[in-house]
Amino acid sequence: RVGPIEADRYIPADVFQATTTLLYFHGGGYVFGNPGTHRQFIAQLVHATGAGAVAPRYRLAPRHRYPAAVDDAQAAYEALLEAGIDPGRIVVAGDSAGGGLAVALLLRLRRTGLPLPAGAMLFSPYVDLVHDGYTIRTNARTDYLPAALMTKPNDTYAGPDQLTDPEVSPVYGDLTGLPPMLIFAGGAEMILSDSIRLAEHAARVGVEAELVIEKE
C-alpha cells in the first residue's frame, strides 16, 4: 500500500538503491485497467530507467467519478513524501488516462501548495475529455480504438459541466509553474492532438516540454 491506496511496487534488480521513484498511473479511460494490466510495461520502464516505481490502484468510473481518481493520486503522492522521498526524486508518469491523471495531479499539487515532483513522463496522455481534438477525426481509421468511443464527450468519468475543469481535462488548464514534461505519442492515434496541444500550452507558459511523436 502507498498510504491508503493499494499499489504495485517495482524495484530494479540491477541497481543497489534506486535514487528516483516513478509514480505511475495506468491507462484505461478512467473506467478500466489496474496496475496488473500494465505490469509488463512498467517493469520495462523500470529496467530502462533504473528507477523504482509505485503504481497505485486508483478508483475508477462509473462507480467512482471525478474527483476520486485525482484524490487517490494525491493521497499516493503524499504517502511518498511522508515516507521521506524527496519530491525532487519523484517523477509522475502514466499512459492515456493515466497520463492525464498525472498532469491533473500536478495541477492539484500546485493549487494546494504541495511540493512538485521533478517532472512528468507521459505516454499518449488523455487530457481532453471533451474530445475536441482534430486527430480524433483525421486518425479515426488508423487507431485501434473504436471511433464511436470518441465521437462524444466522456461523461462517464465526469459530468458535462466538469469536462473542461483542468483536473478533468488538463489541456484547458493553466500549466504555469509545472515541472518539465517528456511526452510520447503515436502519429496514428486519435488522441495525438491531446499531446500536441499539451506540449504547446506548456511551452507557451515557459514549461519545458519535449514531445516525441512516433510515425506509427
Side-chain angles (χ1 to χ4, degrees), residues 15-206:
V15 175
F16 178 72
Q17 183 175 0
T19 59
T20 301
T21 298
L22 301 176
L23 181 57
Y24 193 95
F25 302 106
H26 68 83
Y30 292 109
V31 296
F32 62 89
N34 57 68
T37 60
H38 288 60
R39 195 163 289 158
Q40 183 177 7
F41 178 73
I42 300 172
Q44 291 174 336
L45 192 60
V46 165
H47 177 71
T49 62
V54 173
R57 184 183 293 268
Y58 61 88
R59 288 172 290 174
L60 299 175
R63 182 176 181 181
H64 301 287
R65 289 158 62 87
Y66 170 77
V70 185
D71 290 346
D72 288 353
Q74 180 180 354
Y77 182 78
E78 290 182 347
L80 295 182
L81 299 184
E82 291 168 3
I85 299 178
D86 185 336
R89 294 291 185 180
I90 300 173
V91 173
V92 295
D95 63 280
S96 190
L101 182 56
V103 184
L105 173 61
L106 295 179
L107 295 172
R108 170 74 66 85
L109 296 176
R110 186 190 63 186
R111 179 172 64 82
T112 57
L114 288 168
L116 293 167
M121 186 185 305
L122 312 171
F123 301 90
S124 301
Y126 179 36
V127 291
D128 180 10
L129 275 65
V130 179
H131 296 168
D132 197 36
Y134 67 93
T135 55
I136 288 177
R137 298 180 296 275
T138 60
N139 286 352
R141 294 183 179 180
T142 55
D143 199 315
Y144 74 95
L145 291 173
L149 288 177
M150 309 297 290
T151 56
K152 64 182 184 68
N154 182 351
D155 58 3
T156 302
Y157 173 62
D161 59 333
Q162 298 174 309
L163 292 177
T164 57
D165 186 306
E167 287 190 5
V168 175
S169 298
V171 76
Y172 297 101
D174 177 8
L175 307 181
T176 301
L178 297 190
M181 300 180 185
L182 176 58
I183 307 169
F184 296 95
E189 63 188 29
M190 284 189 284
I191 62 170
L192 170 61
S193 55
D194 285 34
S195 294
I196 294 173
R197 287 181 291 160
L198 182 67
E200 289 176 346
H201 292 353
R204 192 174 299 128
V205 295

